């Protein structure tokens, strides 16, 4: 097996609807085409086009959402996405998704999330740990914990993946809608929801619209990750950093002041190399803030890897950008001249930035200890 696939990995920035298999998207498009609900050749052309700038990516998401608007499909894509990450040895996955309403399908944010959870439970080929730190004051939580542990102690010998969920607030949403998502996340904490993400088209919406909901989420103990600096908006970047999120995603359009602030605050960054290049938020890997290679003797301010800033390699949208976590590690290694041993350490360091608690962190440490022996 390819070394990058064999290595255990942690994925912390993956959007559910961006991680759908092309084959599933085509099948769904064909079905809707047959029912006259979409024009299949047009949809096929969009799905198979792989170079999309940032604005086009959001048009692609609108199209994907047309194809995935019923509960059954949400369950199916969740199941497949988990199987795909597990197949490439992702041992811990934080999957994020925007809870959606669709009146014509009888869908509300809660039922959308229930369909996602159904997808987690539908995985049978691997063991999915969705919750291993129960709140014993909550009967539902304790029951799920017991069922999970029973599965673990069955000795099925199945491969295991830990999955935790982040609920995304879309930048098109109002303060009330954002608050509804946070309240849903709080109500689903016993089901593996660990945090909140702010995402969606970065040129839409104002930071102050989402701030009340994000502050409330933080007060209630949810961990927050923000899409930050995908477009040059220095005022928003500073406001986001001042909020002290637990992690940020992308950090592409930072200037000197923003790099200095990020580094002094030591906020971990979710790095999505292929996504940044495909969406043209970074023009080439030589100047990517993962680790600029233009002058190896000179660590530039934006160089995160060489300055030891906390980072984690992620896919963002493995389906939309035709990538994989293994592919991202291999790409970083070849682009920035980093040896396998150091890449293994980078993957292992990601355990420090997960939103699940200490028990899961300790178990993941053991997974990496074991892999360190076998991968030598
Ligand atoms: P979903 O939340 O529907 O499962 O996943 C797709 C959604 O994630 C998109 O509609 C968009 O809101 C968000 N998303 C996916 N990729 C990106 C990205 O690269 N940047 C931003 N800002 N949002 C994204």
């Amino acid at each position: 097996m390819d070394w990058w696939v064999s290595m255990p990995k942690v994925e912390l920035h993956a959007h559910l609807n961006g991680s759908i298999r092309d084959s599933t998207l085509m099948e769904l498009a064909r079905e809707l085409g047959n029912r006259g609900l979409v024009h299949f050749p047009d949809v096929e052309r969009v799905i198979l086009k792989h170079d999309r700038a940032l604005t086009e990516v959001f048009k692609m998401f609108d199209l994907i959402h047309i194809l995935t608007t019923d509960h059954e499909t949400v369950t199916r894509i969740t199941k497949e996405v988990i199987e795909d990450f597990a197949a490439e040895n992702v041992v811990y996955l934080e999957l994020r998704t925007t809870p959606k309403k669709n009146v014509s399908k009888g869908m509300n944010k809660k039922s959308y999330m229930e369909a996602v959870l159904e997808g987690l439970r539908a995985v049978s080929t691997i063991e999915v740990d969705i919750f291993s730190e129960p709140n014993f004051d909550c009967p539902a939580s304790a029951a799920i914990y017991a069922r999970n542990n029973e599965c673990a102690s069955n000795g099925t010998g199945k491969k295991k993946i830990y999955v935790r969920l982040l609920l995304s607030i879309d930048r098109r949403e109002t303060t009330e809608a954002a608050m509804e998502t946070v309240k849903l996340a709080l109500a689903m904490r016993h089901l593996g929801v660990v945090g909140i993400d702010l995402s969606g088209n970065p040129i839409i919406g104002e930071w102050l619209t989402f701030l009340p909901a994000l502050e409330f989420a933080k007060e209630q103990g949810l961990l927050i990750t923000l899409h930050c600096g995908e477009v040059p908006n220095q005022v928003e970047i500073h406001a986001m950093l001042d909020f002290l999120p637990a992690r940020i995603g992308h950090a592409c359009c930072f200037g000197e002041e923003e790099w200095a602030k990020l580094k002094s605050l030591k906020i971990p960054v979710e790095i999505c190399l292929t996504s940044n290049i495909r969406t043209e938020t970074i023009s080439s890997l030589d100047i990517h803030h993962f680790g600029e290679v233009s002058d190896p003797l000179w660590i530039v301010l934006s160089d995160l890897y060489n300055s030891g800033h906390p980072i984690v390699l992620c896919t963002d949208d493995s389906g939309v950008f035709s990538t994989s976590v293994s592919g991202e590690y291999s790409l970083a290694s070849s682009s920035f001249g980093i040896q396998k041993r150091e890449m293994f350490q980078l993957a292992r360091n990601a355990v420090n930035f997960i939103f699940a608690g200490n028990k899961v962190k300790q178990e993941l440490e053991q997974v990496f200890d074991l892999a360190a022996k076998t991968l030598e």
Side-chain angles (χ1 to χ4, degrees):
M1 198 198 292
D2 177 53
W3 196 87
W4 302 108
V5 174
S6 317
M7 182 178 85
K9 292 167 292 292
V10 165
E11 166 62 280
L12 300 184
H13 188 136
H15 298 267
L16 173 60
N17 276 277
S19 308
I20 306 172
R21 298 174 186 162
D22 266 3
S23 58
T24 298
L25 271 187
M26 294 287 264
E27 189 188 319
L28 295 170
R30 207 169 281 118
E31 263 171 42
L32 290 196
N34 291 342
R35 284 159 51 200
L37 298 172
V38 296
H39 185 241
F40 178 69
D42 288 351
V43 177
E44 184 184 33
R45 206 170 318 114
V46 179
I47 293 173
L48 296 179
K49 182 172 187 261
H50 282 300
D51 48 335
R52 300 184 185 90
L54 195 62
T55 38
E56 280 184 73
V57 165
F58 291 100
K59 288 188 197 145
M60 172 72 177
F61 282 123
D62 287 343
L63 172 69
I64 292 177
H65 291 146
I66 293 172
L67 304 177
T68 61
T69 42
D70 60 76
H71 295 107
E72 240 176 67
T73 307
V74 172
T75 296
R76 172 185 173 175
I77 60 171
T78 305
K79 173 178 177 282
E80 291 181 353
V81 165
I82 290 164
E83 288 169 348
D84 291 350
F85 278 116
E88 57 154 342
N89 269 319
V90 169
V91 289
Y92 175 93
L93 165 67
E94 257 167 43
L95 186 62
R96 55 186 79 188
T97 193
T98 323
K100 298 173 187 72
K101 285 191 172 135
N102 184 351
V103 179
S104 68
K105 306 278 179 188
M107 181 186 281
N108 56 35
K109 288 188 174 188
K110 181 164 183 267
S111 71
Y112 175 92
M113 284 312 301
E114 279 163 357
V116 170
L117 289 171
E118 197 52 44
L120 296 180
R121 290 190 283 264
V123 177
S124 59
T125 46
I126 30 174
E127 187 193 326
V128 181
D129 176 305
I130 49 168
F131 189 69
S132 54
E133 285 157 311
N135 168 2
F136 285 108
D137 296 334
C138 165
S141 157
I144 290 163
Y145 177 70
R147 205 176 59 211
N148 245 346
N149 267 3
E150 194 184 307
C151 173
S153 60
N154 272 346
T156 52
K158 277 188 200 168
K159 200 161 144 178
K160 176 167 171 173
I161 182 169
Y162 294 84
V163 181
R164 297 294 182 272
L165 299 170
L166 305 181
L167 303 201
S168 300
I169 295 170
D170 187 312
R171 295 184 62 114
R172 287 175 292 197
E173 291 186 293
T174 60
T175 305
E176 292 69 36
M179 195 62 95
E180 185 187 350
T181 296
V182 170
K183 287 185 179 156
L184 180 60
L186 289 170
M188 297 186 98
R189 268 210 276 210
H190 64 287
L191 298 168
V193 174
V194 287
I196 294 287
D197 156 55
L198 175 66
S199 53
N201 194 338
I203 58 168
I204 293 178
E206 297 291 330
W207 168 246
L208 288 181
T209 307
F210 319 113
L211 188 58
L214 292 170
E215 276 175 339
F216 177 63
K218 205 180 194 191
E219 274 161 32
Q220 297 294 314
L222 287 168
L223 292 165
I224 317 283
T225 177
L226 304 171
H227 280 63
C228 178
E230 286 175 287
V231 290
N233 180 345
Q234 304 334 99
V235 173
E236 183 177 275
I237 294 171
H238 279 280
M240 284 185 167
L241 295 178
D242 289 339
F243 176 75
L244 298 179
R247 298 195 305 255
I248 59 168
H250 297 298
C252 297
C253 304
F254 277 37
E256 268 186 36
E257 260 185 55
E258 292 78 37
W259 287 127
K261 190 168 189 165
L262 174 79
K263 287 191 171 177
S264 71
L265 295 170
K266 296 192 170 60
I267 298 171
V269 182
E270 301 149 1
I271 300 269
C272 309
L273 296 173
T274 302
S275 160
N276 295 160
I277 297 299
R278 289 278 170 88
T279 56
E280 297 166 9
T281 38
I282 299 285
S283 57
S284 106
L285 284 179
D286 307 0
I287 55 153
H288 196 285
H289 45 288
F290 174 94
E292 290 196 25
V293 286
S294 40
D295 182 352
L297 295 176
W298 169 244
I299 297 178
V300 288
L301 196 55
S302 61
D303 179 330
L304 298 182
Y305 178 76
N306 293 302
S307 63
H309 189 83
I311 48 175
V312 49
L313 281 176
C314 304
T315 54
D316 201 7
D317 299 290
S318 54
V320 170
F321 300 125
S322 309
T323 187
S324 61
V325 193
S326 318
E328 294 300 305
Y329 274 86
S330 164
L331 179 66
S333 167
S334 58
S335 308
F336 303 103
I338 306 171
Q339 301 303 310
K340 284 180 175 162
R341 185 181 289 268
E342 282 73 41
M343 292 306 293
F344 181 87
Q345 192 54 45
L346 184 68
R348 182 175 196 143
N349 288 349
V351 173
N352 297 316
F353 320 130
I354 68 172
F355 286 176
N358 287 337
K359 180 173 180 288
V360 177
K361 284 185 181 158
Q362 281 160 14
E363 288 172 16
L364 290 171
E365 284 297 343
Q366 287 168 13
V367 171
F368 277 94
D369 280 344
L370 191 66
K373 287 184 198 133
T374 51
L375 279 172
E376 296 244 298

